[in-house]
Amino acid sequence: MTFCEIFPPDNFPLYFYRLPKAPDLEIYPEELDLDAVREADVFWITLTGLCQEPSRAATLEALRARDRRGITVLDLDYRPMFWSSQEEARRWVAEALPLVTVAVGNLEECETAVGPCEPHAAAQALHAAGVDLAIVKQGGDGVLASDGSTVVEVPPVPVEVVNGLGAGDAFGGALCHSLLAQWDLERSMRFCNAAGAIVAGRLACSDAMPTVDEVEAKLEEAVRA
């Protein structure tokens, strides 16, 4: 179970009840459908999946089997309460980064993953670790994305924040959509930013995820503003 408190505009603490162990950490390597893993257009894993065994071994096995096919994303969702230390998390991120094509996280998560917390330096460190596309989310300062040859910085979409929880999920869903559509980097990041802003302006979380039309409308609204 997870409970949250809501203190707009920037404080949304989470309380996790995952003991003695949550089911998502009880996935074993031998349970995986590796053919499905290899064939998926998008394969998305999270840092949380690396925090304990047997999920850690299963996650790394899936990544090795996929062998960087298609769009393979590591969400750097560092949650301190799931780890013994930041250093332990960084150790296992280092195992996963060479096996993925995309890494996405906020400044704190990038610092945990590769050390630097300055956006450009963090993106370069993610590239050095092996990823093709590095995305550094900066909250109210927008987002930086680098594909190794092009760097784009996109400002935030103005919104009255109601609940920040779920904005990252909306960003991630929009990222999958834009990568599958093969949009250019700037269009992709603007779309992702707008999707996250919509959810931040809504009270709910999973129920608040926007449609493509809603995201496009928010982008047009931002341009007019």
Side-chain angles (χ1 to χ4, degrees):
M1 294 187 293
T2 306
F3 295 90
C4 70
E5 289 188 277
I6 300 174
F7 301 102
D10 58 4
N11 185 20
F12 308 99
L14 291 170
Y15 304 91
F16 294 94
Y17 292 84
R18 294 169 61 89
L19 298 176
K21 200 170 189 182
D24 59 285
L25 297 178
E26 288 287 358
I27 299 172
Y28 288 79
E30 58 268 25
E31 297 175 321
L32 299 175
D33 183 343
L34 294 179
D35 287 336
V37 169
R38 294 184 188 99
E39 293 167 8
D41 292 335
V42 177
F43 188 67
W44 184 292
I45 67 164
T46 70
L47 183 58
T48 296
L50 296 171
C51 72
Q52 289 190 45
E53 296 290 3
S55 173
R56 178 185 299 146
T59 299
L60 293 172
E61 176 69 16
L63 289 176
R64 293 186 188 105
R66 184 163 173 87
D67 195 25
R68 291 173 54 90
R69 289 177 175 85
I71 300 164
T72 306
V73 185
L74 173 58
D75 183 346
L76 302 169
D77 66 330
Y78 175 62
R79 301 185 185 277
M81 68 285 293
F82 296 165
W83 294 88
S84 60
S85 67
Q86 190 178 43
E87 291 72 24
E88 177 74 359
R90 185 173 298 159
R91 172 192 171 188
W92 292 107
V93 174
E95 294 282 333
L97 283 173
L99 303 174
V100 303
T101 61
V102 181
V104 55
N106 62 31
L107 290 171
E108 178 190 10
E109 292 165 345
C110 289
E111 181 181 17
T112 296
V114 290
C117 61
E118 190 280 325
H120 289 85
Q124 288 304 309
L126 288 168
H127 285 312
V131 307
D132 299 330
L133 175 59
I135 300 171
V136 184
K137 298 185 289 186
Q138 303 171 69
D141 291 326
V143 62
L144 177 146
S146 169
D147 63 7
S149 59
T150 302
V151 176
V152 301
E153 296 183 74
V154 175
V157 174
V159 65
E160 183 178 344
V161 175
V162 176
N163 182 2
L165 299 173
D169 299 307
F171 188 102
L175 177 62
C176 291
H177 179 81
S178 62
L179 291 175
L180 288 169
Q182 298 183 339
W183 292 346
D184 67 70
L185 198 53
E186 182 170 353
R187 181 184 180 190
S188 295
M189 291 303 101
R190 290 189 182 278
F191 188 86
C192 293
N193 255 2
I198 289 171
V199 173
R202 294 174 174 175
L203 183 60
C205 180
S206 58
D207 292 344
M209 296 297 146
T211 65
V212 171
D213 288 343
E214 287 175 321
V215 178
E216 295 290 0
K218 174 61 73 173
L219 285 170
E220 291 180 9
E221 176 187 312
V223 169
R224 291 195 300 270

